[in-house]
Amino acid sequence: MLNSFKNLFTSTKSSKNFYQVVGEESGVYKLVRNFYEIMETDPKAIDCLKSHELVKNKIPDEVKKKLFMFLCGWFGGPNLFVEAYGHPRMRARHMHVKISTREKTQWLYCMKKALKKHPVKISRSEKKKILNSFTALALRIQNIA
């Protein structure tokens, strides 16, 4: 099933998948780092931040590492998350967290800002495809209207 996702993340203009487009492992790492930095500091993301179990008002490194591992595989790179934890089952893994339209919107806001801040040049059309994919993922894990 995860291999079928790889086709979703392959750019039609080139043979690069999104893992390559964002800069492979170091690019995914930077995207995740920027994403959580925005979530931890931007008042517009406060509800999304508070939906996490925080340690000294920060999201634990283990949570950040899991998103990094998931995105590596989801974007078409190595399946680090699957190798360590099994199938992502994203909706099931997030059922214990209240994810309403507000948290979903704030999560996407942080990801959009992280993509804008990303040091690797990504074309507008590829950013749009990535954001559309994140939107579909966020809609799948939203569990409260």
Side-chain angles (χ1 to χ4, degrees):
M1 176 117 173
L2 286 178
N3 286 336
S4 64
F5 282 123
K6 289 185 179 186
N7 293 333
L8 292 173
F9 299 106
T10 300
S11 172
T12 55
K13 289 185 178 180
S14 71
S15 60
K16 288 183 174 183
N17 61 30
F18 285 156
Y19 180 73
Q20 294 163 321
V21 168
V22 300
E24 298 186 350
E25 185 176 326
S26 66
V28 175
Y29 174 81
K30 290 171 186 170
L31 181 66
V32 170
R33 184 191 65 212
N34 289 336
F35 168 77
Y36 281 117
E37 180 181 296
I38 292 161
M39 189 182 295
E40 291 171 344
T41 60
D42 192 320
K44 291 181 182 177
I46 192 70
D47 298 305
C48 188
L49 176 66
K50 287 183 177 183
S51 71
H52 293 80
E53 291 183 24
L54 303 175
V55 176
K56 297 182 182 179
N57 276 346
K58 298 283 183 188
I59 295 170
D61 288 341
E62 183 65 23
V63 172
K64 296 174 185 180
K65 179 181 175 185
K66 284 181 178 180
L67 180 61
F68 163 77
M69 293 170 74
F70 171 74
L71 289 182
C72 281
W74 201 53
F75 278 169
N79 281 318
L80 304 175
F81 187 92
V82 173
E83 291 167 8
Y85 304 103
H87 192 284
R89 301 176 2 253
M90 296 304 283
R91 184 165 175 79
R93 288 188 193 268
H94 289 84
M95 285 307 289
H96 70 283
V97 180
K98 175 192 146 214
I99 302 173
S100 70
T101 301
R102 181 181 309 220
E103 288 83 12
K104 175 197 71 179
T105 301
Q106 290 177 13
W107 190 91
L108 289 167
Y109 165 82
C110 293
M111 195 55 76
K112 186 174 184 176
K113 282 190 76 170
L115 280 167
K116 281 184 182 179
K117 188 177 179 178
H118 198 60
V120 175
K121 177 136 175 68
I122 303 172
S123 74
R124 184 178 298 156
S125 66
E126 288 169 328
K127 279 184 187 177
K128 184 176 180 178
K129 288 178 189 177
I130 292 170
L131 284 171
N132 285 343
S133 297
F134 280 133
T135 300
L137 174 64
L139 284 167
R140 276 194 300 271
I141 64 173
Q142 181 179 337
N143 53 34
I144 297 174

